Amino acid sequence: MLTYQFDSSTLSIQESKVEGDYEFRIHVQEEEQHQAMRDIRHYFAENRVHTDVLFYTQIDHGYQVIVRQDYYVAFVLQLFAYRLLTQVAWKDN
């Protein structure tokens, strides 16, 4: 199981499993976090698989992100690479 942590004073992440995929509700407060989300969206938009990660921008500085199960780790690692997450680790069940 992959676990992660983030700074809850500037970021909110809610994750749920929906019909085999993962849904993330991410709310950011800082401009650099918005830029990170735009960069992550661009990263997944540029690959050959168009249904791997779908982004929906919300009007309340939030993002709804639908992630295919087989791209879950790649998405979490991108959040970490752009410093939206402070820690990522494998945890035994």
Side-chain angles (χ1 to χ4, degrees):
M1 171 188 224
L2 190 62
T3 62
Y4 54 84
Q5 294 179 357
F6 55 90
D7 180 358
S8 61
S9 68
T10 63
L11 182 70
S12 159
I13 299 176
Q14 297 174 338
E15 175 188 333
S16 59
K17 194 157 185 177
V18 179
E19 299 180 17
D21 295 331
Y22 292 89
E23 177 182 11
F24 288 83
R25 298 267 181 179
I26 302 172
H27 288 86
V28 298
Q29 295 180 11
E30 299 175 354
E31 180 54 37
E32 65 229 17
Q33 294 170 326
H34 283 289
Q35 185 59 50
M37 289 300 294
R38 288 189 288 270
D39 291 345
I40 293 167
R41 171 185 263 169
H42 180 73
Y43 173 84
F44 285 104
E46 292 299 310
N47 69 11
R48 294 181 178 196
V49 181
H50 297 289
T51 59
D52 53 356
V53 179
L54 304 174
F55 285 81
Y56 302 95
T57 304
Q58 308 294 311
I59 60 173
D60 61 349
H61 302 287
Y63 300 86
Q64 177 187 16
V65 185
I66 308 298
V67 180
R68 270 187 15 194
Q69 186 171 354
D70 51 336
Y71 282 87
Y72 177 83
V73 172
F75 178 70
V76 170
L77 291 178
Q78 282 298 305
L79 292 175
F80 185 64
Y82 281 92
R83 299 181 184 265
L84 294 174
L85 302 179
T86 57
Q87 182 176 353
V88 176
W90 290 109
K91 185 176 182 180
D92 294 332
N93 292 347

